[in-house]
Amino acid sequence: MNYLRFLTLLVAILISSLAYGQVRSAMTTYEDESYSSLRITLDAPADDVEEIWEDFWDDRYDIDLDRLDKDRNSLAQRAEQVKLPLVHPGNIDVYTKVTDTDNRSDVALALLIDGSAVTERSDPAAYRAAEAILNEFRTVFYTKYFDEQLAEARDELEDMRDDSQDDSK
């Protein structure tokens, strides 16, 4: 019964994630600087998102994000003068921020080329590449997150079966 309830919840979260997962533009403050950023919202607590976000950058792009600022609700990070050929042939600065908002997380990404933030108007190709990065992350995140949730549900189900068998003896 609990397993069916969990699967129903999983489907509901997946459907809602499609609506909340759209990439949008907004100004975001990273430490003391504000930049035009691309953002997505994910249906998961920030603690879960932060770990997968850091691994994503390291595994996919060989970029190590350095912590800028950590407060109660957000984690801001940056990588300066890194190679990200998908976006730009030269070096760029990457700013990211994961913010916890009522069991959801906003993930912000600002890419700076020569000190200027990439926007749809300033560099359409780089902007589309940044959108692609966030869309790729959303897919990677939900795959890993739901795999972990399903593994936990399987473990709980197995524990309930074991308890049931113990009770019947």
Side-chain angles (χ1 to χ4, degrees), residues 7 13 19 23 31 44-46 51 68 77-78 93 95 99 101 103-104 107 116 121 142 148 159 164:
L7 285 178
I13 289 172
V23 177
E31 207 169 38
E51 182 180 340
L68 277 176
Q77 297 174 295
R78 133 181 101 199
D93 296 332
Y95 286 80
T99 305
T101 56
N103 268 348
R104 289 194 175 127
V107 178
S116 297
R121 179 170 282 179
Y142 278 126
E148 290 171 8
D159 289 345
S164 175

Side-chain angles (χ1 to χ4, degrees), residues 105-123:
S105 298
D106 282 328
V107 178
L109 171 65
L111 303 176
L112 279 63
I113 299 173
D114 299 325
S116 297
V118 168
T119 64
E120 193 169 16
R121 179 170 282 179
S122 70
D123 193 334

Side-chain angles (χ1 to χ4, degrees), residues 58-76:
D58 191 31
D59 296 345
R60 291 277 206 267
Y61 301 107
D62 198 28
I63 292 176
D64 184 31
L65 298 170
D66 298 320
R67 182 176 289 198
L68 277 176
D69 189 26
K70 171 80 172 161
D71 64 27
R72 196 178 81 215
N73 294 328
S74 66
L75 171 65

Side-chain angles (χ1 to χ4, degrees), residues 78-151:
R78 133 181 101 199
E80 294 181 301
Q81 296 300 299
V82 295
K83 294 280 186 194
L84 191 56
L86 176 68
V87 173
H88 184 72
N91 289 342
I92 66 169
D93 296 332
V94 176
Y95 286 80
T96 75
K97 191 170 195 176
V98 177
T99 305
D100 189 36
T101 56
D102 298 325
N103 268 348
R104 289 194 175 127
S105 298
D106 282 328
V107 178
L109 171 65
L111 303 176
L112 279 63
I113 299 173
D114 299 325
S116 297
V118 168
T119 64
E120 193 169 16
R121 179 170 282 179
S122 70
D123 193 334
Y127 183 87
R128 283 190 301 279
E131 280 183 320
I133 290 169
L134 283 176
N135 284 324
E136 178 187 19
F137 173 69
R138 181 178 57 227
T139 301
V140 167
F141 172 77
Y142 278 126
T143 300
K144 288 183 178 185
Y145 183 69
F146 288 137
D147 283 349
E148 290 171 8
Q149 297 292 317
L150 284 173

Side-chain angles (χ1 to χ4, degrees), residues 28-35 68-69 76 78 95 97:
T28 305
T29 301
Y30 304 90
E31 207 169 38
D32 296 328
E33 300 288 327
S34 291
Y35 299 111
L68 277 176
D69 189 26
R78 133 181 101 199
Y95 286 80
K97 191 170 195 176

